Amino acid sequence: MTEPGRRERKKAANRQALADAALRLFLERGYDAVGVREIADAADVSVATLFKHFPDGKEALVFDQDADREEALVAAVRERPTGQSIPQALRTLLHDERSRQVRTDPRFPEFLHLIEATPVLRERARRIWLRHENALAAAIVADTGLPENDPAAQALAHFALEAVSLVHGRDDPEWALDRIFTLLDTGWTATTQESARHDST
């Protein structure tokens, strides 16, 4: 993989600076109390630069990892090691994602509260969640050869993503995540075996 050029590094740095500045201001003062000019000033860029990176404005600044996360979900299915089931691959991804968030950003619980407490962010998060679910379900269908309307692929995508919410706030979230994905893996194995038997008859 080639190293990004100077221009790409500058763009990535500006984008990250904007997202970091926005989150800091939102957590300090609340989402509705912060304007895009303040965010641009805090990141030391122009308002035009802010909208170049985030055409949707303030909402997109909160969800700056949206596209990367969707790509990671799809890649977990497509690029998993031979012999690893889809639930196992998703469990590994979500475990690593959660560990990284907790380890590197002590503000993560505040971030979740910001979204939950702000109606416009809560609604956008719901739309993003549904889009990720559909993208993940499509990747599962493409990988397994199941029919596009097979409810098993949609259900696996739905409950894999829901697992993150189910473990939040528990005393031992890693154990809880393992329990959920053990259930999903067992059910998925049985479902795919049943589909294979059905297709062979």
Side-chain angles (χ1 to χ4, degrees):
M1 181 180 296
T2 59
E3 286 291 324
R6 181 178 177 184
R7 178 173 296 188
E8 286 70 27
R9 291 197 302 270
K10 176 68 171 175
K11 287 170 61 176
N14 281 342
R15 181 179 176 84
Q16 190 62 55
L18 283 162
D20 290 345
L23 181 58
R24 175 173 56 80
L25 291 171
F26 293 155
L27 292 180
E28 288 174 358
R29 295 164 45 197
Y31 177 80
D32 293 326
V34 178
V36 291
R37 182 171 295 280
E38 294 173 89
I39 297 168
D41 288 346
D44 197 25
V45 301
S46 68
V47 173
T49 297
L50 183 153
F51 280 108
K52 181 165 33 172
H53 289 290
F54 298 96
D56 292 343
K58 284 171 56 177
E59 289 181 40
L61 282 155
V62 178
F63 301 101
D64 62 299
Q65 301 296 318
D66 170 24
D68 290 341
R69 186 164 196 259
E70 185 171 316
E71 288 179 9
L73 288 166
V74 171
V77 174
R78 292 178 177 168
E79 301 170 13
R80 71 189 190 281
T82 301
Q84 186 180 58
S85 70
I86 293 175
Q88 289 167 353
L90 292 172
R91 187 257 179 266
T92 298
L93 171 69
L94 296 175
H95 164 77
D96 292 347
E97 180 184 81
R98 186 183 181 283
S99 296
R100 186 169 58 252
Q101 288 168 333
V102 171
R103 184 178 65 252
T104 63
D105 193 349
R107 302 169 301 173
F108 186 59
E110 294 177 77
F111 169 76
L112 295 178
H113 177 73
L114 173 71
I115 293 173
E116 185 59 31
T118 310
V120 67
L121 297 181
R122 192 166 63 240
E123 174 57 23
R124 187 177 181 106
R126 186 190 69 82
R127 295 197 306 270
I128 289 172
W129 197 94
L130 288 173
R131 194 179 72 248
H132 288 182
E133 178 186 313
N134 289 332
L136 181 55
I140 293 169
V141 163
D143 183 86
T144 59
L146 290 169
E148 288 188 15
N149 63 346
D150 193 307
Q154 196 77 33
L156 177 58
H158 178 89
F159 289 110
L161 294 177
E162 189 66 37
V164 177
S165 298
L166 292 174
V167 305
H168 181 63
R170 291 182 177 270
D171 293 337
D172 190 344
E174 297 307 317
W175 175 84
L177 197 64
D178 282 338
R179 288 280 289 168
I180 291 169
F181 275 93
T182 295
L183 174 65
L184 292 178
D185 198 23
T186 301
W188 180 251
T189 299
T191 298
T192 51
Q193 288 174 347
E194 179 185 338
S195 297
R197 286 195 299 269
H198 181 270
D199 292 342
S200 65
T201 58

